[in-house]
Amino acid sequence: MANKIIWILLGSILLLTSCNDYETYGEKKDKERSAISSFIARENITTITEAQFHANGNVTDTTKNEFVYLDNDGVYMQIVHKGYGQPLQNGERATLLMRFFEMCIMDSTQLYNDTYPYDPDYMVVERTGANYQAYYLTNSLMYSTYGTQSVPSGLIAPFQYINVGRETDETGHIAKVKLIVPHSKGHTLASSNVYPYYYEISFQRTYDTFDK
């Protein structure tokens, strides 16, 4: 009988220990918010509101390392260069070359194709009214890494503010943005782990055609 009681007590202790080790979704979100706040402080980022962003002509001051907080997405965005050409028009679809640097803010793991000899990813983006949808082509690094063609909504957020043209001369720049994307607007790994990610991404239109 004594042995039975001991085993019951040991089982209770193990159960309590396992419960204490379990993190709730709310606790994970708190850690994510803390990680984003620490990253913003560490990188000397100045945050501005959407109202300030619109009042400034939908630009961010890179000399102040400004990022605008987009209320609907929870994404922080810096427009480094608006790019050549014009924004995607209503009903228009475009295939874009995408070069990027991606870093998980929680554990610093990195993925990138923005340095030689890596090939760019190809993204197809389409606008319908105020809505944007996009998918990667199957030869992209993003697709091969995360196993889905769907582009996370956090990476689509900049398109209403940037141009999607091609480089035509050496006097300007293709579109480039920096983003802090919370897990809710990120890819499958970000979503499952409740991890935020930092991005530096450039976009340039291509008139080549590819299969989906």
Side-chain angles (χ1 to χ4, degrees), residues 50-107:
E50 273 198 78
Q52 291 172 306
F53 176 65
H54 297 319
N56 293 337
N58 294 343
V59 297
T60 49
D61 189 341
T62 56
T63 65
K64 298 178 181 177
N65 202 20
E66 279 185 353
F67 279 63
V68 55
Y69 179 75
L70 302 175
D71 296 318
N72 289 338
D73 297 289
V75 171
Y76 293 85
M77 175 183 70
Q78 180 183 100
I79 299 177
V80 182
H81 305 297
K82 275 191 173 288
Y84 292 91
Q86 60 183 355
L88 199 68
Q89 301 300 296
N90 185 23
E92 184 181 8
R93 173 185 291 187
T95 302
L96 307 178
L97 301 176
M98 171 185 166
R99 292 191 179 276
F100 69 90
F101 168 83
E102 174 194 81
M103 183 185 73
C104 177
I105 292 176
M106 300 288 276
D107 63 16

Side-chain angles (χ1 to χ4, degrees), residues 10 17-18 32 87 90 105 110 116 124 131 138 161 179 196 201:
L10 286 174
T17 302
S18 64
E32 178 186 43
N90 185 23
I105 292 176
Q110 298 178 6
Y116 183 82
V124 178
N131 298 315
T138 54
Y161 304 113
L179 303 170
I201 310 176

Side-chain angles (χ1 to χ4, degrees), residues 32 56 86 114 140-143 182 199 204:
E32 178 186 43
N56 293 337
Q86 60 183 355
D114 60 344
S140 71
L141 180 60
M142 282 289 194
Y143 170 77
Y199 293 90
Q204 181 177 202

Side-chain angles (χ1 to χ4, degrees), residues 158-169:
F159 281 111
Q160 60 181 307
Y161 304 113
I162 61 173
N163 300 323
V164 289
R166 285 184 62 84
E167 185 175 11
T168 56
D169 54 48

Side-chain angles (χ1 to χ4, degrees), residues 86-158:
Q86 60 183 355
L88 199 68
Q89 301 300 296
N90 185 23
E92 184 181 8
R93 173 185 291 187
T95 302
L96 307 178
L97 301 176
M98 171 185 166
R99 292 191 179 276
F100 69 90
F101 168 83
E102 174 194 81
M103 183 185 73
C104 177
I105 292 176
M106 300 288 276
D107 63 16
S108 298
T109 55
Q110 298 178 6
L111 183 72
Y112 52 87
N113 71 356
D114 60 344
T115 58
Y116 183 82
Y118 294 100
D119 292 327
D121 279 16
Y122 289 90
M123 172 196 291
V124 178
V125 59
E126 183 174 9
R127 176 184 173 186
T128 304
N131 298 315
Y132 296 79
Q133 293 182 319
Y135 62 86
Y136 301 116
L137 299 183
T138 54
N139 59 347
S140 71
L141 180 60
M142 282 289 194
Y143 170 77
S144 63
T145 302
Y146 299 114
T148 178
Q149 287 187 264
S150 298
V151 178
S153 59
L155 273 62
I156 300 174

Side-chain angles (χ1 to χ4, degrees), residues 175-190:
K176 183 175 181 179
V177 297
K178 296 180 181 180
L179 303 170
I180 300 171
V181 178
H183 78 281
S184 57
K185 301 297 180 179
H187 49 56
T188 52
L189 188 61

Side-chain angles (χ1 to χ4, degrees), residues 33-53:
R33 283 190 289 266
S34 178
I36 291 174
S37 296
S38 297
F39 180 80
I40 288 173
R42 185 170 67 250
E43 297 298 320
N44 296 314
I45 292 171
T46 301
T47 61
I48 61 173
T49 65
E50 273 198 78
Q52 291 172 306
F53 176 65

